Amino acid sequence: MSSRGRLELVALGLASLALGCFDSGPPPTDRPDGGLIGDVDRDRDGLCNDTEIMRGTDPDDPDTDADGFSDYWEVLIGTDPRDPTRPSRDVVIVLRESGPLAQLVAPIEIAVTGAGEDFSGAFEDEVVGDPGGETAGVFFVGARASFAAPGDNVAVVDGESFRAVVGRTLLGFELELAYLGDARGCARALPFRYNVKRSDGVMVASRRFFLVVMPAEVAFGDAPWCTPSRCI
C-alpha cells in the first residue's frame, strides 16, 4: 500500500472516532437479565439507582423522606423527595378505588381581593406521566361555590360563582370526585390546579392540589405505589 493510502486510512479512522462511530461492541451489563448499568432500581420505586444518587435520594429506600409518597412520584409531581413537609397535607386529597371513599366531596379554599367584580372557579388538569395514563381530570365530576368569609363581602353565591365580591375574601369551593373504573391496586399522585377567574376571564388566584388515588382499606404510608415498566 502506498504512503498516500495509509494516510487516508488513518484519517478515516480518526474521523470515525470523532463522530462517535467506533464500534465498541454491546454495552456492559451488571444484571443477569442483561439490564444496563444505569437501568438498575434496587428499591423498585421507579427511579434508577443512578437517578437516585444524582438527586440525593436513597436507592435502597423507596420513600427517602418517609412522608408516604414514593421518591418516583415526588419526582413526577415536582416535589422534593428529601423534604417530608412537601407536599403539604393541606393540598392532598385522597380518593379510594372502592368503598365509601370512592366518591367524595373535597372542600378547598382560595383567597381573593375584589372591588365589586364577579369571580368563578375553574378546574385545570395537569399531566405528569402516570404510567397508567391517568390524570386528576379522569376523576373530577364537578365543583360548586360553597361559602365566602366574611360573608358580607359577597352579594350572591351561585353555582360555581361569587357575585359582587369586595375586599379580601376567602372563597370556599366543594369539588366532587369519583372513582368509577377498574382498580389498579397501587397509589398515584395526580396534580391539578383550581383557579379563580374574574368575569373578564383574568385569573386572579390559583392553588395546586394533589389527588392521591389508592387502594381501599390500606393506610396511606403502607400502600404500594404504581411504578413504570422501566425505571427512569
Side-chain angles (χ1 to χ4, degrees):
M1 180 182 294
S2 68
S3 59
R4 178 180 178 182
R6 286 193 294 271
L7 288 172
E8 288 175 346
L9 285 175
V10 171
L12 180 60
L14 291 173
S16 297
L17 287 172
L19 293 172
C21 298
F22 183 76
D23 183 6
S24 60
T29 63
D30 63 356
R31 295 193 318 195
D33 63 1
L36 302 182
I37 284 178
D39 190 22
V40 180
D41 180 11
R42 284 200 302 266
D43 58 12
R44 299 184 179 182
D45 62 353
L47 292 183
C48 300
N49 291 353
D50 288 351
T51 302
E52 300 226 39
I53 292 170
M54 178 185 68
R55 290 181 172 274
T57 54
D58 187 347
D60 293 306
D61 188 342
D63 181 9
T64 297
D65 57 11
D67 65 351
F69 287 82
S70 80
D71 293 345
Y72 169 80
W73 276 96
E74 291 220 50
V75 168
L76 279 192
I77 65 178
T79 56
D80 188 348
R82 300 165 303 175
D83 183 354
T85 68
R86 295 289 183 271
S88 174
R89 286 297 187 268
D90 66 337
V91 293
V92 173
I93 300 169
V94 177
L95 178 69
R96 300 289 183 165
E97 290 182 328
S98 61
L101 295 180
Q103 296 185 8
L104 58 85
V105 174
I108 65 170
E109 300 174 351
I110 300 180
V112 302
T113 300
E117 305 98 332
D118 298 343
F119 295 99
S120 297
F123 177 92
E124 180 184 346
D125 207 355
E126 187 174 336
V127 178
V128 293
D130 167 37
E134 292 176 338
T135 66
V138 172
F139 310 102
F140 177 69
V141 177
R144 71 178 187 89
S146 58
F147 76 90
D152 292 342
N153 285 10
V154 176
V156 178
V157 178
D158 178 28
E160 205 171 349
S161 300
F162 297 85
R163 310 291 184 190
V165 179
V166 294
R168 183 72 173 172
T169 309
L170 188 64
L171 305 182
F173 297 88
E174 292 182 341
L175 310 187
E176 185 180 353
L177 302 156
Y179 192 93
L180 303 174
D182 296 329
R184 288 169 61 183
C186 56
R188 51 271 195 206
L190 308 173
F192 67 91
R193 287 189 175 275
Y194 199 75
N195 305 318
V196 176
K197 297 181 179 182
R198 224 166 40 204
S199 54
D200 59 4
V202 174
M203 186 187 303
V204 296
S206 179
R207 288 189 72 188
R208 192 174 190 235
F209 296 88
F210 301 94
L211 177 63
V212 176
V213 184
M214 58 187 296
E217 300 178 357
V218 179
F220 187 92
D222 296 335
W225 284 84
C226 301
T227 56
S229 58
R230 184 173 180 175
C231 65
I232 62 173

Short mmCIF file of all heavy atoms in Angstrom, two decimals, residues 70-123:
data_model
loop_
_atom_site.label_atom_id
_atom_site.label_comp_id
_atom_site.label_asym_id
_atom_site.label_seq_id
_atom_site.Cartn_x
_atom_site.Cartn_y
_atom_site.Cartn_z
N SER A 70 -43.81 7.95 47.41
CA SER A 70 -42.59 7.33 46.90
C SER A 70 -41.71 8.38 46.23
O SER A 70 -42.19 9.40 45.73
CB SER A 70 -42.93 6.21 45.91
OG SER A 70 -43.24 6.74 44.63
N ASP A 71 -40.40 8.10 46.22
CA ASP A 71 -39.45 9.03 45.59
C ASP A 71 -39.80 9.24 44.12
O ASP A 71 -39.72 10.37 43.62
CB ASP A 71 -38.03 8.47 45.70
CG ASP A 71 -37.52 8.43 47.13
OD1 ASP A 71 -38.14 9.08 48.00
OD2 ASP A 71 -36.51 7.75 47.38
N TYR A 72 -40.17 8.18 43.43
CA TYR A 72 -40.53 8.29 42.00
C TYR A 72 -41.67 9.28 41.78
O TYR A 72 -41.60 10.15 40.91
CB TYR A 72 -40.90 6.90 41.47
CG TYR A 72 -41.54 6.90 40.11
CD1 TYR A 72 -40.76 7.01 38.96
CD2 TYR A 72 -42.92 6.76 39.96
CE1 TYR A 72 -41.35 6.99 37.70
CE2 TYR A 72 -43.51 6.74 38.71
CZ TYR A 72 -42.72 6.85 37.58
OH TYR A 72 -43.31 6.83 36.34
N TRP A 73 -42.71 9.17 42.60
CA TRP A 73 -43.87 10.04 42.41
C TRP A 73 -43.57 11.48 42.82
O TRP A 73 -44.10 12.42 42.22
CB TRP A 73 -45.09 9.48 43.15
CG TRP A 73 -45.76 8.46 42.29
CD1 TRP A 73 -45.60 7.11 42.33
CD2 TRP A 73 -46.64 8.74 41.21
NE1 TRP A 73 -46.33 6.52 41.35
CE2 TRP A 73 -46.99 7.48 40.65
CE3 TRP A 73 -47.19 9.88 40.67
CZ2 TRP A 73 -47.86 7.37 39.55
CZ3 TRP A 73 -48.06 9.78 39.59
CH2 TRP A 73 -48.38 8.54 39.04
N GLU A 74 -42.72 11.67 43.80
CA GLU A 74 -42.35 13.05 44.15
C GLU A 74 -41.57 13.70 43.00
O GLU A 74 -41.73 14.90 42.73
CB GLU A 74 -41.54 13.07 45.44
CG GLU A 74 -42.37 12.70 46.67
CD GLU A 74 -42.04 13.56 47.87
OE1 GLU A 74 -42.03 14.80 47.74
OE2 GLU A 74 -41.79 12.99 48.93
N VAL A 75 -40.74 12.92 42.33
CA VAL A 75 -40.04 13.46 41.17
C VAL A 75 -41.04 13.81 40.06
O VAL A 75 -40.96 14.87 39.43
CB VAL A 75 -38.98 12.46 40.66
CG1 VAL A 75 -38.45 12.88 39.29
CG2 VAL A 75 -37.84 12.34 41.66
N LEU A 76 -42.02 12.94 39.83
CA LEU A 76 -43.02 13.19 38.79
C LEU A 76 -43.82 14.47 39.05
O LEU A 76 -44.06 15.26 38.14
CB LEU A 76 -43.99 12.01 38.67
CG LEU A 76 -43.57 10.78 37.88
CD1 LEU A 76 -44.78 9.88 37.66
CD2 LEU A 76 -42.92 11.12 36.56
N ILE A 77 -44.24 14.66 40.29
CA ILE A 77 -45.11 15.80 40.59
C ILE A 77 -44.34 17.07 40.94
O ILE A 77 -44.94 18.12 41.16
CB ILE A 77 -46.11 15.46 41.71
CG1 ILE A 77 -45.38 15.19 43.04
CG2 ILE A 77 -46.98 14.28 41.32
CD1 ILE A 77 -46.32 14.89 44.20
N GLY A 78 -43.01 16.96 41.01
CA GLY A 78 -42.20 18.15 41.20
C GLY A 78 -42.01 18.59 42.63
O GLY A 78 -41.71 19.76 42.88
N THR A 79 -42.16 17.67 43.59
CA THR A 79 -41.86 18.00 44.98
C THR A 79 -40.52 17.37 45.35
O THR A 79 -39.98 16.55 44.61
CB THR A 79 -42.96 17.52 45.93
OG1 THR A 79 -43.17 16.10 45.76
CG2 THR A 79 -44.27 18.24 45.64
N ASP A 80 -39.97 17.73 46.51
CA ASP A 80 -38.64 17.26 46.91
C ASP A 80 -38.77 15.96 47.70
O ASP A 80 -39.31 15.96 48.81
CB ASP A 80 -37.96 18.34 47.76
CG ASP A 80 -36.51 18.01 48.07
OD1 ASP A 80 -36.09 16.87 47.82
OD2 ASP A 80 -35.80 18.90 48.58
N PRO A 81 -38.28 14.83 47.14
CA PRO A 81 -38.38 13.55 47.86
C PRO A 81 -37.52 13.48 49.11
O PRO A 81 -37.55 12.47 49.82
CB PRO A 81 -37.93 12.52 46.81
CG PRO A 81 -37.09 13.29 45.86
CD PRO A 81 -37.65 14.68 45.82
N ARG A 82 -36.77 14.55 49.41
CA ARG A 82 -35.96 14.59 50.63
C ARG A 82 -36.58 15.48 51.70
O ARG A 82 -36.04 15.59 52.80
CB ARG A 82 -34.55 15.10 50.30
CG ARG A 82 -33.79 14.24 49.28
CD ARG A 82 -32.59 14.98 48.74
NE ARG A 82 -33.00 16.25 48.12
CZ ARG A 82 -32.15 17.16 47.65
NH1 ARG A 82 -30.85 16.94 47.74
NH2 ARG A 82 -32.59 18.27 47.11
N ASP A 83 -37.73 16.08 51.39
CA ASP A 83 -38.40 17.02 52.30
C ASP A 83 -39.74 16.45 52.75
O ASP A 83 -40.69 16.42 51.95
CB ASP A 83 -38.59 18.37 51.61
CG ASP A 83 -39.21 19.42 52.52
OD1 ASP A 83 -39.59 19.09 53.65
OD2 ASP A 83 -39.33 20.59 52.08
N PRO A 84 -39.85 16.00 54.01
CA PRO A 84 -41.10 15.38 54.46
C PRO A 84 -42.28 16.35 54.58
O PRO A 84 -43.41 15.91 54.77
CB PRO A 84 -40.73 14.80 55.83
CG PRO A 84 -39.59 15.64 56.30
CD PRO A 84 -38.83 16.02 55.06
N THR A 85 -42.04 17.65 54.46
CA THR A 85 -43.14 18.62 54.54
C THR A 85 -43.76 18.93 53.19
O THR A 85 -44.72 19.69 53.11
CB THR A 85 -42.65 19.94 55.18
OG1 THR A 85 -41.73 20.59 54.28
CG2 THR A 85 -41.97 19.69 56.51
N ARG A 86 -43.23 18.32 52.13
CA ARG A 86 -43.75 18.56 50.78
C ARG A 86 -44.03 17.23 50.11
O ARG A 86 -43.17 16.34 50.13
CB ARG A 86 -42.75 19.37 49.94
CG ARG A 86 -42.52 20.77 50.47
CD ARG A 86 -43.77 21.64 50.22
NE ARG A 86 -43.56 23.01 50.66
CZ ARG A 86 -43.81 23.46 51.88
NH1 ARG A 86 -44.25 22.62 52.81
NH2 ARG A 86 -43.63 24.73 52.19
N PRO A 87 -45.24 17.07 49.55
CA PRO A 87 -46.31 18.07 49.51
C PRO A 87 -47.01 18.24 50.84
O PRO A 87 -47.15 17.27 51.60
CB PRO A 87 -47.27 17.51 48.45
CG PRO A 87 -47.05 16.04 48.47
CD PRO A 87 -45.61 15.85 48.80
N SER A 88 -47.45 19.45 51.12
CA SER A 88 -48.15 19.74 52.36
C SER A 88 -49.48 19.01 52.38
O SER A 88 -50.17 18.92 51.35
CB SER A 88 -48.38 21.25 52.46
OG SER A 88 -49.18 21.57 53.58
N ARG A 89 -49.84 18.48 53.55
CA ARG A 89 -51.07 17.69 53.64
C ARG A 89 -52.34 18.50 53.36
O ARG A 89 -53.38 17.94 53.01
CB ARG A 89 -51.17 17.04 55.03
CG ARG A 89 -50.22 15.87 55.22
CD ARG A 89 -50.54 14.73 54.26
NE ARG A 89 -49.76 13.54 54.52
CZ ARG A 89 -48.60 13.26 53.95
NH1 ARG A 89 -48.08 14.13 53.10
NH2 ARG A 89 -47.95 12.15 54.21
N ASP A 90 -52.27 19.83 53.47
CA ASP A 90 -53.48 20.62 53.24
C ASP A 90 -53.82 20.74 51.76
O ASP A 90 -54.87 21.27 51.40
CB ASP A 90 -53.37 22.00 53.88
CG ASP A 90 -52.28 22.85 53.24
OD1 ASP A 90 -51.35 22.28 52.63
OD2 ASP A 90 -52.36 24.08 53.35
N VAL A 91 -52.93 20.24 50.88
CA VAL A 91 -53.25 20.25 49.45
C VAL A 91 -53.34 18.83 48.89
O VAL A 91 -53.31 18.63 47.68
CB VAL A 91 -52.22 21.08 48.66
CG1 VAL A 91 -52.32 22.55 49.03
CG2 VAL A 91 -50.80 20.56 48.85
N VAL A 92 -53.46 17.85 49.79
CA VAL A 92 -53.57 16.44 49.37
C VAL A 92 -55.01 15.97 49.58
O VAL A 92 -55.57 16.12 50.67
CB VAL A 92 -52.59 15.55 50.16
CG1 VAL A 92 -52.84 14.07 49.84
CG2 VAL A 92 -51.16 15.93 49.84
N ILE A 93 -55.59 15.40 48.56
CA ILE A 93 -56.94 14.84 48.61
C ILE A 93 -56.83 13.35 48.30
O ILE A 93 -56.25 12.98 47.27
CB ILE A 93 -57.87 15.52 47.59
CG1 ILE A 93 -57.96 17.03 47.87
CG2 ILE A 93 -59.25 14.88 47.60
CD1 ILE A 93 -58.63 17.81 46.75
N VAL A 94 -57.34 12.50 49.17
CA VAL A 94 -57.23 11.05 48.98
C VAL A 94 -58.56 10.48 48.49
O VAL A 94 -59.60 10.67 49.11
CB VAL A 94 -56.80 10.36 50.29
CG1 VAL A 94 -56.76 8.84 50.11
CG2 VAL A 94 -55.44 10.87 50.75
N LEU A 95 -58.48 9.78 47.37
CA LEU A 95 -59.64 9.11 46.78
C LEU A 95 -59.34 7.61 46.72
O LEU A 95 -58.29 7.20 46.23
CB LEU A 95 -59.92 9.65 45.37
CG LEU A 95 -61.08 9.02 44.60
CD1 LEU A 95 -62.42 9.40 45.22
CD2 LEU A 95 -61.04 9.45 43.13
N ARG A 96 -60.28 6.79 47.21
CA ARG A 96 -60.08 5.34 47.21
C ARG A 96 -60.66 4.71 45.95
O ARG A 96 -61.59 5.22 45.34
CB ARG A 96 -60.75 4.73 48.44
CG ARG A 96 -60.20 5.25 49.77
CD ARG A 96 -58.81 4.75 50.04
NE ARG A 96 -58.29 5.18 51.34
CZ ARG A 96 -57.24 4.66 51.95
NH1 ARG A 96 -56.57 3.68 51.37
NH2 ARG A 96 -56.82 5.11 53.12
N GLU A 97 -60.09 3.57 45.58
CA GLU A 97 -60.55 2.89 44.36
C GLU A 97 -61.89 2.19 44.56
O GLU A 97 -62.58 1.88 43.59
CB GLU A 97 -59.51 1.86 43.91
CG GLU A 97 -58.24 2.49 43.38
CD GLU A 97 -57.23 1.46 42.91
OE1 GLU A 97 -57.19 0.35 43.48
OE2 GLU A 97 -56.48 1.77 41.97
N SER A 98 -62.26 1.94 45.80
CA SER A 98 -63.55 1.31 46.09
C SER A 98 -63.95 1.66 47.51
O SER A 98 -63.16 2.22 48.28
CB SER A 98 -63.47 -0.22 45.90
OG SER A 98 -62.52 -0.78 46.78
N GLY A 99 -65.19 1.32 47.87
CA GLY A 99 -65.67 1.61 49.22
C GLY A 99 -66.28 2.99 49.33
O GLY A 99 -66.46 3.70 48.33
N PRO A 100 -66.60 3.40 50.55
CA PRO A 100 -67.30 4.68 50.78
C PRO A 100 -66.54 5.89 50.25
O PRO A 100 -67.15 6.87 49.85
CB PRO A 100 -67.45 4.73 52.31
CG PRO A 100 -67.34 3.32 52.76
CD PRO A 100 -66.40 2.66 51.81
N LEU A 101 -65.22 5.84 50.27
CA LEU A 101 -64.43 6.99 49.84
C LEU A 101 -64.07 6.95 48.36
O LEU A 101 -63.21 7.70 47.90
CB LEU A 101 -63.16 7.11 50.68
CG LEU A 101 -63.39 7.41 52.16
CD1 LEU A 101 -62.07 7.50 52.91
CD2 LEU A 101 -64.17 8.71 52.34
N ALA A 102 -64.75 6.09 47.59
CA ALA A 102 -64.56 6.08 46.14
C ALA A 102 -65.32 7.24 45.51
O ALA A 102 -65.11 7.55 44.33
CB ALA A 102 -65.03 4.76 45.54
N GLN A 103 -66.19 7.88 46.27
CA GLN A 103 -66.87 9.11 45.84
C GLN A 103 -66.80 10.07 47.02
O GLN A 103 -67.15 9.69 48.14
CB GLN A 103 -68.32 8.84 45.44
CG GLN A 103 -68.44 7.93 44.22
CD GLN A 103 -69.90 7.78 43.77
OE1 GLN A 103 -70.79 8.46 44.27
NE2 GLN A 103 -70.13 6.89 42.84
N LEU A 104 -66.35 11.27 46.79
CA LEU A 104 -66.22 12.21 47.90
C LEU A 104 -66.35 13.64 47.42
O LEU A 104 -66.25 13.94 46.23
CB LEU A 104 -64.89 12.00 48.62
CG LEU A 104 -63.59 12.15 47.81
CD1 LEU A 104 -63.15 13.60 47.75
CD2 LEU A 104 -62.49 11.31 48.46
N VAL A 105 -66.61 14.51 48.39
CA VAL A 105 -66.66 15.95 48.16
C VAL A 105 -65.51 16.57 48.95
O VAL A 105 -65.45 16.42 50.17
CB VAL A 105 -68.01 16.55 48.58
CG1 VAL A 105 -67.97 18.07 48.46
CG2 VAL A 105 -69.13 15.98 47.73
N ALA A 106 -64.59 17.21 48.25
CA ALA A 106 -63.40 17.77 48.89
C ALA A 106 -63.53 19.29 48.99
O ALA A 106 -63.64 19.97 47.96
CB ALA A 106 -62.16 17.41 48.09
N PRO A 107 -63.52 19.85 50.20
CA PRO A 107 -63.59 21.30 50.37
C PRO A 107 -62.22 21.94 50.15
O PRO A 107 -61.21 21.44 50.63
CB PRO A 107 -64.07 21.48 51.81
CG PRO A 107 -63.55 20.27 52.51
CD PRO A 107 -63.54 19.14 51.51
N ILE A 108 -62.17 23.03 49.41
CA ILE A 108 -60.93 23.78 49.24
C ILE A 108 -61.23 25.27 49.43
O ILE A 108 -62.38 25.70 49.33
CB ILE A 108 -60.29 23.55 47.86
CG1 ILE A 108 -61.21 24.09 46.74
CG2 ILE A 108 -59.99 22.09 47.63
CD1 ILE A 108 -60.53 24.11 45.38
N GLU A 109 -60.19 26.06 49.72
CA GLU A 109 -60.36 27.49 49.96
C GLU A 109 -59.31 28.27 49.18
O GLU A 109 -58.14 27.86 49.11
CB GLU A 109 -60.22 27.80 51.45
CG GLU A 109 -61.23 27.07 52.33
CD GLU A 109 -60.98 27.29 53.81
OE1 GLU A 109 -59.91 27.87 54.14
OE2 GLU A 109 -61.81 26.90 54.64
N ILE A 110 -59.72 29.38 48.60
CA ILE A 110 -58.81 30.25 47.86
C ILE A 110 -59.16 31.70 48.19
O ILE A 110 -60.33 32.09 48.13
CB ILE A 110 -58.91 30.01 46.34
CG1 ILE A 110 -58.56 28.56 46.00
CG2 ILE A 110 -58.00 30.98 45.58
CD1 ILE A 110 -58.62 28.23 44.53
N ALA A 111 -58.15 32.50 48.53
CA ALA A 111 -58.37 33.90 48.90
C ALA A 111 -58.23 34.81 47.68
O ALA A 111 -57.34 34.61 46.84
CB ALA A 111 -57.38 34.32 49.97
N VAL A 112 -59.11 35.81 47.58
CA VAL A 112 -59.06 36.81 46.51
C VAL A 112 -59.32 38.19 47.12
O VAL A 112 -59.77 38.31 48.26
CB VAL A 112 -60.10 36.53 45.40
CG1 VAL A 112 -59.89 35.15 44.80
CG2 VAL A 112 -61.52 36.65 45.96
N THR A 113 -59.05 39.21 46.33
CA THR A 113 -59.41 40.57 46.71
C THR A 113 -60.24 41.18 45.59
O THR A 113 -59.79 41.20 44.43
CB THR A 113 -58.16 41.43 46.95
OG1 THR A 113 -57.39 40.85 48.02
CG2 THR A 113 -58.54 42.85 47.35
N GLY A 114 -61.45 41.62 45.93
CA GLY A 114 -62.35 42.14 44.90
C GLY A 114 -62.73 43.59 45.11
O GLY A 114 -62.57 44.15 46.20
N ALA A 115 -63.24 44.18 44.04
CA ALA A 115 -63.74 45.56 44.09
C ALA A 115 -65.09 45.62 43.41
O ALA A 115 -65.37 46.48 42.57
CB ALA A 115 -62.76 46.50 43.41
N GLY A 116 -65.94 44.62 43.77
CA GLY A 116 -67.28 44.57 43.20
C GLY A 116 -67.42 43.64 42.01
O GLY A 116 -68.50 43.53 41.42
N GLU A 117 -66.33 42.91 41.63
CA GLU A 117 -66.39 42.02 40.48
C GLU A 117 -67.01 40.66 40.84
O GLU A 117 -67.15 40.33 42.01
CB GLU A 117 -64.98 41.77 39.90
CG GLU A 117 -64.20 43.01 39.54
CD GLU A 117 -63.23 43.39 40.63
OE1 GLU A 117 -63.50 43.08 41.81
OE2 GLU A 117 -62.20 43.99 40.29
N ASP A 118 -67.32 39.89 39.81
CA ASP A 118 -67.76 38.51 39.97
C ASP A 118 -66.55 37.59 39.77
O ASP A 118 -65.69 37.85 38.91
CB ASP A 118 -68.84 38.15 38.94
CG ASP A 118 -70.09 39.00 39.07
OD1 ASP A 118 -70.26 39.63 40.13
OD2 ASP A 118 -70.89 39.02 38.12
N PHE A 119 -66.51 36.49 40.54
CA PHE A 119 -65.42 35.53 40.43
C PHE A 119 -65.99 34.13 40.28
O PHE A 119 -66.99 33.78 40.92
CB PHE A 119 -64.51 35.57 41.66
CG PHE A 119 -63.77 36.86 41.82
CD1 PHE A 119 -64.23 37.84 42.69
CD2 PHE A 119 -62.61 37.10 41.11
CE1 PHE A 119 -63.54 39.03 42.86
CE2 PHE A 119 -61.92 38.29 41.27
CZ PHE A 119 -62.38 39.26 42.14
N SER A 120 -65.33 33.31 39.46
CA SER A 120 -65.76 31.92 39.25
C SER A 120 -64.58 30.98 39.36
O SER A 120 -63.45 31.33 39.01
CB SER A 120 -66.40 31.76 37.86
OG SER A 120 -67.56 32.55 37.74
N GLY A 121 -64.84 29.77 39.84
CA GLY A 121 -63.81 28.75 39.95
C GLY A 121 -63.70 27.94 38.68
O GLY A 121 -64.67 27.82 37.91
N ALA A 122 -62.51 27.36 38.44
CA ALA A 122 -62.29 26.55 37.25
C ALA A 122 -61.24 25.49 37.52
O ALA A 122 -60.14 25.80 38.00
CB ALA A 122 -61.87 27.42 36.07
N PHE A 123 -61.56 24.24 37.22
CA PHE A 123 -60.64 23.11 37.39
C PHE A 123 -59.67 23.07 36.22
O PHE A 123 -60.06 23.22 35.06
CB PHE A 123 -61.44 21.81 37.45
CG PHE A 123 -60.61 20.56 37.56
CD1 PHE A 123 -60.29 20.03 38.79
CD2 PHE A 123 -60.18 19.90 36.41
CE1 PHE A 123 -59.53 18.87 38.90
CE2 PHE A 123 -59.42 18.74 36.51
CZ PHE A 123 -59.10 18.23 37.75
#
